[in-house]
Amino acid sequence: MSEEKKQQLSHSFYAEETETVLEKMQSTQEGLSSSEAQKRINEFGPNELDEGEKKSMIARFFEQFKDMMIIVLIFAAIISAVVSHEVVDSIIILAVVIINAVMGVLQESKAEQAIEALREMSTPNANVLRDNHVKSIKSTELVPGDIVMLEAGDVVPADLRLLEAASLKIEEAALTGESVPVEKEMVVIDEQDVGIGDRVNMAFSNSNVTYGRGRGVVVSTGMSTEVGKIAGMLAQADETETPLKNNLNQLGKFLTIAIIVIAAIMFVVGIAINGTSWDEMFLTSISLAVAAIPEGLPAIVTIILALGTQVMAKRNSVIRKLPAVETLGSTDIIASDKTGTLTLNQMTVEKLYVNNQQIGAKEEIPNDLMAVKVMNFANDTKFSQEGGLIGDPTETALVQFGLDKGFDVRQEVQKETRVAELPFDSDRKLMSTIHEQADGKYLVAVKGAPDVLLNRTNKVLLDDTVVPMTDKEKSDILANNTDMAQQALRVLGMAYKIVDAIPAEMESEIVENDLIFAGLVGMIDPERAEAAEAVRVAKEAGVRPIMITGDHKDTAEAIAVRLGIVDKGDDDAVLTGAQLNEMSDEEFAQKVSEYSVYARVSPEHKVCIVKAWQKEGKVVAMTGDGVNDAPALKQADIGIGMGITGTEVSKGASDMVLADDNFATIVVAVEEGRKVFSNIQKSVQYLLAANLGEVLTLFLATLFGWDTLLPIHLLWINLVTDTFPAIALGMEPAEKDLMSHKPRGRNSNLFSGGVLSSIIYQGILEGATVLFVYWSAIQWPVHSTYDAIHSDALTMAFATLGLMQLFHAFNVKSVHQSIFKVGPFRNRTFNWAILLSFALMMVIIIVPGLNDVFRVAHLDLYQWGIVLGASFAIIPIVEIVKFFQRKAMN
């Protein structure tokens, strides 16, 4: 497509007269000829979205090996097999790496999935004027300049500049976030930079016609439509690195450097001090390096995350990408769409104004109230076969209110049949129906804009009595209308009159005059009942909820006040898209923390807001259900889609989907995410303290010239006493004060919160204890021969290291809290894991034959007493250290 044509498609057609638009599109009211349409489809291409660049499954698989920890593991496997000839160890390591990569590929959701969902949303057919005849064609065959016919029930097939609009209403919630269908008008909008929701003379691709009919000229197709621009933003959006991935990369780098340094020192010490040959020392150093690597860590982290997804699925949070489980726990900002997320996305009557007073919708009112009758009679809502309501959301809300109050419009219109009507018109802003009554007279029911309706009334109904409309009455009605509007309610007026005959001429000046005012009704898309409590809990947890919506400022602010996101009268905390456009990126980045509500924003604005918070170093979770939310969902650290009301596009761009569309579920998920990270920290602390103990034991034993812990011992301990308890620690219940802490933020890591210092002193403690047991066995032997003494010392050191790690697993249930406070036996899986690991340690020492394979000896009761006493000693020692740590923290 030429650059000139691209510019033409992105022109602000809403600001021009229809004749000018037709001229620029080189079209007419009669549409295009088939030959011209064919020329244009060759020039502009089909009316569909680009698929975007897809990565092959193989490419995605090899991308999983970029992680530093994975590289270290692969290197360890090669060294272990080639140099140390530990083939079994190498196979286990490689199996862990491959399984980890396969799970990563299966869990990932790429951009083309979201774009494919956008493509599938396209309508299969469109009614278009070709060769001066209306034809039904595939929407992909539409071209700029085509004249498209619209009617209720249609999905708009491309971006149109409207040429006609007869009571036309189009629901654009998926694109703009506004819950109420937009009344389209044939006006020229003489403003610059008008948001999508305010372009009332345009119809946008993939929006739904809910009422009336219309006709428009295609001005944009394919990727040039507003939906296409969103697809382009999705394709170009960068994948954000999760905090967990960053933490694991940091851990991999740290371990790599530490292992190389320790192995090098050990190599030099062995040659320089002990006089060991370089080749033997090289193999010993490599064995130490392999022992130091927690090869099970990636698999254990994956298992903990997977277990977290199962728990969250039971609590209505479906995780699409494993790291999203943990990312939730570090969330600083929850940027939530309003419509359908914080609110029900269902217009509901909230207040009535009748008899000079406002009445709450939940209060008792008589079902024969004239205002209720009028709002149901002057209404085009239909009932489905299942009893559901079909029609404009505003009108269905009125009918549902009537049903709730005992007024069934289906039964009432059988008594008072509709015999004539004046349909709603956006110019006069009124709708009227005429009903025949039992006495032969006729009821004229009128509903519409209160200010327009008041100009047509000269009487008012008060306590079933019709009295003249005075200036005071009119002033009171207008004051209540303003009051309800300031509460972000959508207000309609109801009026009526009784006539002797159906008017001969069904014209507004005749039918809709000399009316009796019956009342006002205020409606809103109400907040979810549990959302306010969820906002409160989030704030207590240090998580800041902000609202981002395409809805009007007043509506957004009112809902935000009701939810507790902002305080009443805090207008400075609300920013509109138009105001955002006037700011530079630098200025907005400086002020972003001042705003908690963003109204009338575009998809580009949503991405801008998320990026601004991320530049502040915040971890951002973004919720949404519409096409317009998809780019921001992908940009956010964790995108949260809606499972019920959400489009496939928003789900495809999300990391997590809420099965119940409930904002409160997000707060529950945040708690689960914090628990998952805490449990991963516990596993890391447990594994690295154990590995540090092993490394120190080997290093110091080499320094002293002792021969302790064979490679098979280290492998067995890593497989048995490390793996099962580490996985079980991932299933620990949440600590009671978990949600009273501030979010750990983007800059925290797996070593923060006292974990690193705990790993160091506990690893040193383990290594020192094992060496002490080995030394004591040599100093006070049970046997007399060197081989027997050495075999006993080796066995006691091996048993002490394995059992001490099992006892130490209880310490790791909390970094600082006493195990007696967190509950040592609350986690049944952990209890069984400890018993299983203990049995596997015992069996190779006690069972004849197995002890020969593992080169260990039988121990007597005295020796077992030393082993068990030394192993258990780590619990009281760590408890004492924790006690002083808590004192220092307080």
Side-chain angles (χ1 to χ4, degrees), residues 805-818:
Q805 289 183 10
L806 297 183
F807 283 119
H808 181 51
F810 288 92
N811 291 324
V812 181
K813 283 173 173 279
S814 177
V815 177
H816 297 298
Q817 293 298 326
S818 168

Side-chain angles (χ1 to χ4, degrees), residues 59-67 70 100-102 104-105 108:
R60 295 181 195 176
F61 179 77
F62 282 107
E63 274 189 349
Q64 307 300 315
F65 297 96
K66 293 179 181 178
D67 186 275
I70 300 298
N100 196 57
V102 169
V105 170
E108 278 190 344

Side-chain angles (χ1 to χ4, degrees), residues 659-675:
D660 59 357
D661 285 13
N662 193 337
F663 179 82
T665 303
I666 301 170
V667 179
V668 172
V670 167
E671 180 180 5
E672 185 64 28
R674 289 188 177 188
K675 186 188 85 172

